[in-house]
């Protein structure tokens, strides 16, 4: 695993915008004025390193599914601060095995030691367009003879075929509250993969979903029935909405994507549950819900935090804090495992899983200790 310099393509901004990454200019520049998409550097991996990351990703995915079963069987919902009225619907969603589509594991890896799980984005992961489309075109333009760990597009199409009835329509929802446009872009891209699978699709804002009380069904602005919904809107927000009870009731007939049971995987209490179930596992870090215990250095992560907000890193010499409004629901305390340092830059590897298979890699890079919403996305390739 190496970090290498690269010349930016002429008119690279127009190129990536033409390929779909229109929101990149809306993201505030990060450290040292770096753009969100930064192709002045890239990471090169060997094939054995990629094969190891693939194995780790699928192992972690299997462990997470076991963790869902563990939490439901032992009724550990309180650890996740999940309201009582949701316990039985979650159990039923898991019992039905409501179909899941995708997720992204954030890993710490330096090419030498064991990859360590930092967290799992299991409900509404983003940076999909960058990982699937933009960096692939970069590779084809700049390093056409090299390969890349990237089968995201093809596997998404196959997964839609696997979890959908032929010809079944799907609505794709995002929220207008995300002003940069990233959520709308990711929802639109996901809609494109479903359309390539031959499924009828419609895009809408979640704020535009209506309820037809006479027909007792959700509808779009045209009055069309919403049978299946892909929602780039997290369950922990949705269950606080006025229509939450109606949405939960609909899951028994037409479960939305991602399914309700993924509330147990998109919550960082998962990190403590995994450590309870697999203590000492080489790809996990010690994590606890009742405090840092005997951890000499630790990261306090809000159970429902996003993009690094409200995270606190406590070391003997210093404490580093990221501003934010999360944490009211509680924290998990995970051992602090420093990101590898490549010439002052620290990468987090976003390892994607589609269905039950590993599918590709996206890398976010920062000069600090915490990866946030302005951290740059940099491409990668396989060079040997």
């Amino acid at each position: 695993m190496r970090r290498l310099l690269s010349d930016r393509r002429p008119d690279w901004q127009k190129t990536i915008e033409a390929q779909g990454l229109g929101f990149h200019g809306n993201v505030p520049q990060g450290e040292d004025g770096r753009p969100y998409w930064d192709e002045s550097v890239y990471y090169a991996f060997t094939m054995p390193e990629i094969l190891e990351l693939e194995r780790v990703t699928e192992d972690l995915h299997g462990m997470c599914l076991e963790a869902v079963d563990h939490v439901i069987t032992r009724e550990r919902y309180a650890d996740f601060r999940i309201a009582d009225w949701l316990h039985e619907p979650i159990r039923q969603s898991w019992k039905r095995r409501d179909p899941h589509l995708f997720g992204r594991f954030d890993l710490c890896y330096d090419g030498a030691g064991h990859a360590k799980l930092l967290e799992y984005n299991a409900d509404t992961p983003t940076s999909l367009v960058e990982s699937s489309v933009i960096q692939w075109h970069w590779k084809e333009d700049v390093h056409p003879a090299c390969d890349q760990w990237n089968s995201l597009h093809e596997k998404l199409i196959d997964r839609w075929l696997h979890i959908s009835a032929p010809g079944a329509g799907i609505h794709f929802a995002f929220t207008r509250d995300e002003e940069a446009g990233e959520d709308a872009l990711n929802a639109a891209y996901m809609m494109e993969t479903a359309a390539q699978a031959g499924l009828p699709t419609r895009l809408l804002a979640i704020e535009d979903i209506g309820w037809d009380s006479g027909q007792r069904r959700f509808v779009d602005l045209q009055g069309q029935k919403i049978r299946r919904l892909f929602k780039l809107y997290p369950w922990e927000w949705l269950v606080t909405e006025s229509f939450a009870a109606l949405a939960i009731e609909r899951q028994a007939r037409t479960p939305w994507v991602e399914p309700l049971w993924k509330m147990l995987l998109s919550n960082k209490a998962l990190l403590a549950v995994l450590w309870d179930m697999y203590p000492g596992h080489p790809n996990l870090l010690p994590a606890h819900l009742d405090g840092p215990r005997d951890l000499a250095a630790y990261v306090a992560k809000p159970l429902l935090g996003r993009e690094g907000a409200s995270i606190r890193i406590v070391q003997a010499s210093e404490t580093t804090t990221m501003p934010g409004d999360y944490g009211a629901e509680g924290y998990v305390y995970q051992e602090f495992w420093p990101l590898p340092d490549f010439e002052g830059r620290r990468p987090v590897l976003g390892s994607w899983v589609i269905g039950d298979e590993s599918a590709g890699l996206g890398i976010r890079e920062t000069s600090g200790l915490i990866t946030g919403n302005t951290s740059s996305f940099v491409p990668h390739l396989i060079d040997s």
Side-chain angles (χ1 to χ4, degrees), residues 27 83 115 170 182 185 188 296 313 331 375:
V27 178
I170 306 176
E182 182 180 11
L185 173 65
I313 299 177
Y331 288 79
S375 299

Side-chain angles (χ1 to χ4, degrees), residues 26-39:
N26 299 330
V27 178
Q29 289 190 334
E31 310 96 343
D32 306 327
R34 295 180 71 190
Y36 172 71
W37 167 266
D38 189 357
E39 61 181 60

Side-chain angles (χ1 to χ4, degrees), residues 12 22 55 74 102 233 256 316 328 336 357:
W12 64 269
R55 182 195 64 78
R74 289 162 178 76
F102 71 149
Y233 192 77
W256 295 352
F336 174 57
E357 298 181 346

Side-chain angles (χ1 to χ4, degrees), residues 80-148:
F80 293 73
R81 306 298 193 270
I82 292 175
D84 292 350
W85 72 278
L86 292 167
H87 298 181
E88 182 60 18
I90 290 173
R91 189 183 75 83
Q92 290 297 330
S93 176
W94 177 244
K95 182 179 179 181
R96 293 189 302 266
R97 295 301 192 269
D98 289 344
H100 60 286
L101 181 64
F102 71 149
R104 191 191 76 235
F105 292 98
D106 285 350
L107 305 176
C108 177
Y109 181 65
D110 62 3
H114 294 290
K116 299 290 187 181
L117 174 63
L118 301 176
E119 59 185 67
Y120 187 23
N121 300 275
D123 187 14
T124 57
T126 53
S127 76
L128 183 60
V129 175
E130 304 92 294
S131 300
S132 177
V133 178
I134 307 302
Q135 69 168 341
W136 178 261
H137 285 299
W138 167 85
K139 181 202 79 70
E140 291 290 276
D141 288 346
V142 181
H143 298 278
C146 293
D147 201 356
Q148 189 176 84

Side-chain angles (χ1 to χ4, degrees), residues 186-368:
N186 277 266
Y189 172 68
M190 193 64 80
M191 184 176 72
E192 179 183 340
T193 63
Q196 291 187 25
L199 302 173
T201 60
R202 282 178 178 253
L203 184 68
L204 80 167
I206 201 157
E207 292 84 358
D208 291 335
I209 294 176
W211 175 255
D212 184 331
S213 57
Q215 299 290 329
R216 291 197 55 80
R217 62 187 186 184
F218 287 104
V219 294
D220 60 21
L221 288 175
Q222 290 72 43
Q224 184 177 87
K225 180 180 179 180
I226 297 175
R227 293 180 171 84
R228 173 64 65 89
L229 182 73
F230 170 87
K231 47 157 207 66
L232 206 60
Y233 192 77
W235 274 112
E236 67 262 22
W237 296 356
L238 195 150
V239 298
T240 67
E241 301 283 1
S242 58
F243 61 88
L246 296 170
I248 298 301
E249 186 270 333
R250 297 301 298 174
Q251 299 310 301
R253 299 174 178 83
T254 52
W256 295 352
V257 180
E258 291 294 290
L260 186 60
W261 58 261
K262 274 217 169 176
M263 286 190 76
L264 301 178
L265 296 184
S266 60
N267 184 310
K268 292 180 183 63
L270 169 71
L271 300 172
V273 170
L274 286 171
W275 188 251
D276 287 347
M277 295 176 65
Y278 305 98
H281 192 285
N283 300 123
L284 298 177
L285 294 169
H288 313 292
L289 291 169
D290 57 356
R293 297 188 189 178
D294 57 352
L295 298 177
Y298 63 89
V299 185
K301 297 182 177 182
L303 297 186
L304 299 175
R306 293 176 175 275
E307 297 181 325
S310 304
I311 281 180
R312 185 173 75 256
I313 299 177
V314 178
Q315 304 178 76
S317 58
E318 62 178 335
T319 297
T320 305
T321 302
M322 182 73 83
D325 298 324
Y326 298 102
E329 67 287 337
Y331 288 79
V332 66
Y333 301 86
Q334 184 185 51
E335 181 181 29
F336 174 57
W337 195 269
L339 296 172
D341 189 325
F342 289 84
E343 301 173 353
R345 303 295 183 181
R346 298 178 174 89
V348 169
L349 306 192
S351 182
W352 290 90
V353 57
I354 306 298
D356 300 312
E357 298 181 346
S358 60
L361 177 66
I363 301 175
R364 299 289 297 276
E365 195 179 60
T366 180
S367 61

Side-chain angles (χ1 to χ4, degrees), residues 130-176:
E130 304 92 294
S131 300
S132 177
V133 178
I134 307 302
Q135 69 168 341
W136 178 261
H137 285 299
W138 167 85
K139 181 202 79 70
E140 291 290 276
D141 288 346
V142 181
H143 298 278
C146 293
D147 201 356
Q148 189 176 84
W149 182 21
N150 189 353
S151 59
L152 282 158
H153 193 83
E154 298 81 5
K155 285 184 176 176
L156 282 168
I157 294 171
D158 289 344
R159 187 63 179 172
W160 283 119
L161 290 170
H162 180 75
I163 68 175
S164 303
I170 306 176
H171 284 73
F172 291 78
F174 63 95
T175 175
R176 292 198 192 94

